[in-house]
Amino acid sequence: LLRFPFGISDDVSGRKPWVSLQTIHLSHNLLKVLPEDFYLLTNLVELRLDHNKLASLNYRLSRLVRLKTLNLHCNELTKLPPEVGGLRSATLITLDQNHIRVLPFQICALTRLMQLSLKDNAEMVQPPQNLAARGGTREGVEDIVEFLTRFHRAGLAEFNYTLDICGFELTVLPDVRSVPTSRAIHLSKNKLQLLGEHEFWDHQKAIHHSLTSLSIAHNRFAAFPLILTQLLTLKELDLSYNKIVDIPAELLSLTGLTNLVADGNPLSSPTIHVVHDGVEIYKIRGSEHHPKL
């Protein structure tokens, strides 16, 4: 099928014959869009639209308040409308193999959701892909909802907000550029190994110009992330319990840094004793070793 075969509102026999439908299977077709009156089918409980060519969904989707199962995998969706939060009866939503980048926060309103399948959305950043991959279980759905909720709260805050995304086992840093007003970001107890420049900068402009506290403790960093030396407003930095051997002299450029924690790292330069002596001692000894700074 290239399009839905009949208008839902067709009234050949003096009534609307489609409205009582509870199940519709339209998988493995070539549908690019659904007609507006499709969303009059408010008695739908199961809707299978997988393996089509849908690029978007109409905001009227929220009318399907009885819908429990929605299969949308293997389409060409790039986003979901915020109105997806109106599917209050939904227990299963499949979105695998699309092009979705960001999930709308409104999906957190689906309190009955048991499975949210998001695998193979190669461009997904919110939530990060390894977290999104866990949506096939109730526990995974709860983790995704909690993650999105924390980001949403941070985005609403005007200042002095702490973005706490500890303990999600993330392997890739989420898009913290979406919460530029955060004063503190806690990334501890994940599985991060790298921080790239694009996470904190956009078009050569610092996004987190007011960030004063950052924790990357209990991750898997084998090298000090040099991007941190460009976060000039930092006052507190927790690097503890990684595998960092060397703290570079460039850290001395953070003139406002007053608290540096590096316990649990195999430090050789500077030694852990220097770090324990305090930031000022580290700066003095660092300058002695690197007189040009």
Side-chain angles (χ1 to χ4, degrees):
L1 294 176
L2 295 173
R3 63 179 180 83
F4 197 74
F6 302 104
I8 304 301
S9 303
D10 285 353
D11 196 1
V12 178
S13 57
R15 63 187 179 90
K16 297 179 179 178
W18 295 81
V19 201
S20 59
L21 284 175
Q22 294 187 350
T23 301
I24 292 182
H25 292 185
L26 288 168
S27 308
H28 295 276
N29 282 290
L30 299 171
L31 299 175
K32 294 183 178 181
V33 67
L34 295 175
E36 290 187 5
D37 57 356
F38 183 89
Y39 300 98
L40 295 172
L41 302 178
T42 54
N43 288 307
L44 276 179
V45 174
E46 180 180 355
L47 177 57
R48 295 188 181 182
L49 292 166
D50 55 281
H51 294 86
N52 278 284
K53 293 186 176 297
L54 297 172
S56 63
L57 296 174
N58 193 287
Y59 70 91
R60 294 177 178 85
L61 180 71
S62 61
R63 295 177 179 175
L64 308 182
V65 294
R66 293 182 175 85
L67 193 65
K68 293 183 178 181
T69 298
L70 177 58
N71 290 352
L72 288 165
H73 54 280
C74 300
N75 274 282
E76 298 177 2
L77 297 171
T78 57
K79 62 181 180 179
L80 297 179
E83 288 77 13
V84 70
L87 303 177
R88 299 300 176 92
S89 299
T91 59
L92 169 65
I93 298 177
T94 64
L95 293 162
D96 312 83
Q97 298 184 48
N98 279 281
H99 308 288
I100 297 170
R101 180 175 171 81
V102 176
L103 280 184
F105 165 72
Q106 288 80 1
I107 209 161
C108 297
L110 307 186
T111 56
R112 299 182 182 179
L113 198 59
M114 301 296 291
Q115 289 182 262
L116 177 61
S117 194
L118 294 163
K119 294 180 181 178
D120 299 319
N121 282 274
E123 300 174 26
M124 179 160 285
V125 295
Q126 289 302 63
Q129 292 186 31
N130 73 308
L131 176 56
R134 305 205 296 266
T137 66
R138 175 62 179 176
E139 293 78 11
V141 171
E142 290 174 351
D143 285 346
I144 291 171
V145 167
E146 178 64 23
F147 177 89
L148 293 175
T149 299
R150 294 185 188 186
F151 258 86
H152 181 69
R153 290 173 180 166
L156 292 178
E158 294 184 3
F159 58 90
N160 288 340
Y161 191 87
T162 297
L163 175 60
D164 183 350
I165 42 180
C166 303
F168 285 100
E169 299 186 356
L170 302 179
T171 57
V172 177
L173 182 69
D175 189 3
V176 296
R177 294 176 300 178
S178 62
V179 285
T181 59
S182 294
R183 293 294 181 94
I185 298 179
H186 295 168
L187 298 168
S188 58
K189 298 180 181 178
N190 284 292
K191 297 180 179 179
L192 301 172
Q193 299 182 57
L194 299 170
L195 293 181
E197 184 170 302
H198 63 281
E199 274 96 3
F200 293 99
W201 291 66
D202 189 14
H203 303 298
Q204 307 301 317
K205 179 181 178 182
I207 298 298
H208 286 278
H209 50 77
S210 59
L211 187 64
T212 59
S213 178
L214 176 65
S215 173
I216 59 170
H218 293 275
N219 275 281
R220 298 181 177 179
F221 291 97
F224 182 91
L226 285 176
I227 182 61
L228 302 186
T229 65
Q230 300 181 45
L231 300 176
L232 301 180
T233 54
L234 275 185
K235 295 181 179 180
E236 300 176 351
L237 178 58
D238 189 350
L239 308 169
S240 55
Y241 296 98
N242 281 282
K243 299 178 181 179
I244 298 171
V245 175
D246 177 57
I247 296 180
E250 286 84 352
L251 190 65
L252 300 176
S253 62
L254 303 184
T255 56
L257 193 66
T258 57
N259 188 15
L260 175 62
V261 182
D263 298 30
N265 285 285
L267 288 178
S268 61
S269 174
T271 66
I272 191 63
H273 303 291
V274 172
V275 176
H276 278 166
D277 285 342
V279 174
E280 293 304 320
I281 298 298
Y282 167 68
K283 289 180 181 178
I284 292 171
R285 298 192 186 181
S287 296
E288 290 172 353
H289 288 96
H290 304 276
K292 65 179 181 179
L293 297 177

